[in-house]
Amino acid sequence: MSEQRFSSYIAGQWVEGDGAHPDENPSDLGTPVGQYGTVDGARTGQAVEAAAAALPAWSLSNPQQRADILDFVGSEILRRKEELGRLLAREEGKTLAESIGEAARAGQIFKFFAGEALRIPGEKLASTRPGVDVEITREPVGTVGIIAPWNFPLAIPAWKIAPALAYGNTVVFKPAEIVPGCAWAIAEILSRAGLPEGVFNMVLGSGKVVGQALVEHPKLDALTFTGSVPTGHALLKQAAARALKVQMEMGGKNPLIVLADADLDKAVECAVNGAFFSTGQRCTASSRLIVENSIYDAFVEKVRARLAKVKVGDPLEQGVDIGPVASQAQLDTDLSYIRAGHEDGGELLAGGDRVEWKTPGHFLAPTLFAAKPSDRIAREEIFGPVAALLRADAYEHALALANDTEYGLCAGICTTSLKHATHFKRNAQAGMVMVNLPTAGVDPHVPFGGRKASSYGPREQGRYAVEFYTTVKTAYTAA
Ligand code: ADP
């Protein structure tokens, strides 16, 4: 395969950037997916300037024009989902089936927001004063900075870029360092979609240089970020200091409760899928499995039997269920938590070590520890295929354990009891709740987001995206 070079896209021009950084394939470390150049703070500033210059015309553009452009992008992504999925699988490491599914989702998201461009809501109310009309309209929030993570390198950019453009904003998109190929692929399609110059920009580079230059630029009006809690909270402070509108999606430590009355086979499937598929690299991963005492041993036995059948390897290979960890840095983190699991006295029930494959890569066995609620692996987000198993006396205890976390993204329960399912939906301290489903795996047309340390600001996705990407105007007219 020929080596591709991925570059940035600023003010309608492709910008090579400095250096040739390898875009590594985590399944085959000797064979990079391509090379990419990085831009500096000054170039990032030019991207924000271009977005600001393009804003006045784009914010008043015909919504049909915006709809047509987004529809074009969505159609092309859907048409090329196998090819884009393959790129994603090679670059980030999730299985080909998961990757093609993610590409399709990205296409569907662009199409959803193509429709939303023509449905921007408003209201007209009677005034308290005679002869006066009151209109409430939504206008674009302005130039939007998008800082994205690596774990969904097509879907997350799609669910930020598509609403931003649909509602008339201009964009500077900074992808995560290790997925420049997917970012470039999205930018390349957008560059042919008919957008005026400067409406969409994409800048490749580090968080410290490019991300910081973006956040600090005085012409940036709003920032949407998905990433780790430490980075998110640092950016939140900077944003607050300059009154930047923000939307932050950060970590999770999502509980999945399994009650004694659950369908055990279904619960095991939910647990294994939620905790370990996509290599556990989902902010909604079921990383805390909370199991009722009376079925604990049976659950452990079935999970171990299921994990024995799971194949870890190159995501392009047929029959592989779990791909590699996405990067050396993430692998180091995962291994350090496996050590922490042992140090804190956890009992290793499955995995715990690296897996050999035909090619050199970051392969790690799905790892399950029986843990105490106070153990680090039961409290801190790992973002890898490492999960903690906790015992609960009964439903009330399980609920208390589920809520005993600083996070609040998603919470799940496996049960056949309507009473417990209903109580859990009301009392789980999370932005999303799942009943008889893994905590990971959400629909693209409904709100996504959490509570507590997991999220800050308005929800993403679906019609709720309008809250972040627009600002409200109240207009009074006297006849
Ligand atoms: P991870 O540890 O999983 O890479 P991060 O929160 O560090 O998660 O990264 C998420 C995104 O935030 C990436 O695009 C990264 O480049 C960016 N980022 C990291 N540090 C900063 C920073 N100081 N300022 C702006 N963006 C940053």
Side-chain angles (χ1 to χ4, degrees), residues 147-150 174-177 206-208 211-212 225-228 231 235:
I147 298 184
W150 46 259
K174 190 215 111 42
E177 290 86 329
S206 73
K208 280 203 174 64
Q212 271 305 303
F225 167 88
T226 301
S228 64
T231 305
L235 293 181

Side-chain angles (χ1 to χ4, degrees), residues 143-344:
T143 54
V144 177
I146 295 176
I147 298 184
W150 46 259
N151 63 326
F152 284 93
L154 291 176
I156 292 180
W159 82 50
K160 294 179 187 290
I161 294 167
L165 298 179
Y167 297 122
N169 303 283
T170 56
V171 166
V172 181
F173 163 41
K174 190 215 111 42
E177 290 86 329
I178 64 169
V179 287
C182 286
W184 174 85
I186 294 175
E188 198 281 323
I189 297 170
L190 279 158
S191 76
R192 291 184 282 101
L195 288 169
E197 181 184 306
V199 169
F200 172 80
N201 306 270
M202 189 275 286
V203 281
L204 295 177
S206 73
K208 280 203 174 64
V209 175
V210 170
Q212 271 305 303
L214 181 57
V215 174
E216 285 166 11
H217 199 287
K219 289 192 180 163
L220 195 77
D221 296 310
L223 173 70
T224 175
F225 167 88
T226 301
S228 64
V229 170
T231 305
H233 282 193
L235 293 181
L236 194 51
K237 285 194 192 115
Q238 290 175 42
R242 50 166 296 205
L244 194 65
K245 186 173 183 182
V246 288
Q247 177 182 58
M248 302 267 165
E249 290 301 340
M250 298 168 282
K253 194 73 190 173
N254 311 288
L256 179 70
I257 293 175
V258 181
L259 294 185
D261 62 30
D263 176 325
L264 198 54
D265 290 328
K266 272 195 199 148
V268 166
E269 224 30 62
C270 287
V272 169
N273 176 318
F276 303 117
F277 282 18
S278 298
T279 324
Q281 296 171 157
R282 300 186 279 196
C283 47
T284 48
S286 313
S287 48
R288 287 187 300 141
L289 306 175
I290 301 168
V291 178
E292 203 171 335
N293 239 333
S294 58
I295 52 150
Y296 183 92
D297 291 341
F299 178 83
V300 169
E301 195 180 315
K302 277 183 184 278
V303 166
R304 290 172 91 165
R306 178 70 180 86
L307 286 178
K309 290 197 204 119
V310 161
K311 189 165 170 193
V312 177
D314 187 323
L316 295 183
E317 194 145 311
Q318 274 263 315
V320 164
D321 303 296
I322 297 177
V325 174
S327 68
Q328 182 67 51
Q330 185 59 54
L331 180 65
D332 292 344
T333 301
D334 298 347
L335 292 171
S336 78
Y337 275 106
I338 290 175
R339 282 195 298 277
H342 288 297
E343 284 161 16
D344 291 347

Side-chain angles (χ1 to χ4, degrees), residues 318-378:
Q318 274 263 315
V320 164
D321 303 296
I322 297 177
V325 174
S327 68
Q328 182 67 51
Q330 185 59 54
L331 180 65
D332 292 344
T333 301
D334 298 347
L335 292 171
S336 78
Y337 275 106
I338 290 175
R339 282 195 298 277
H342 288 297
E343 284 161 16
D344 291 347
E347 182 196 350
L348 185 67
L349 298 172
D353 222 334
R354 301 185 59 170
V355 171
E356 287 295 318
W357 184 254
K358 293 167 248 180
T359 46
H362 305 308
F363 302 104
L364 183 63
T367 298
L368 183 65
F369 274 99
K372 301 183 294 304
S374 57
D375 291 354
R376 280 168 285 177
I377 54 163

Side-chain angles (χ1 to χ4, degrees), residues 384-408:
V386 183
L389 179 65
L390 304 172
R391 268 179 200 273
D393 302 330
Y395 168 72
E396 290 71 22
H397 184 210
L399 176 65
L401 286 172
N403 286 336
D404 176 25
T405 167
E406 64 179 295
Y407 295 105

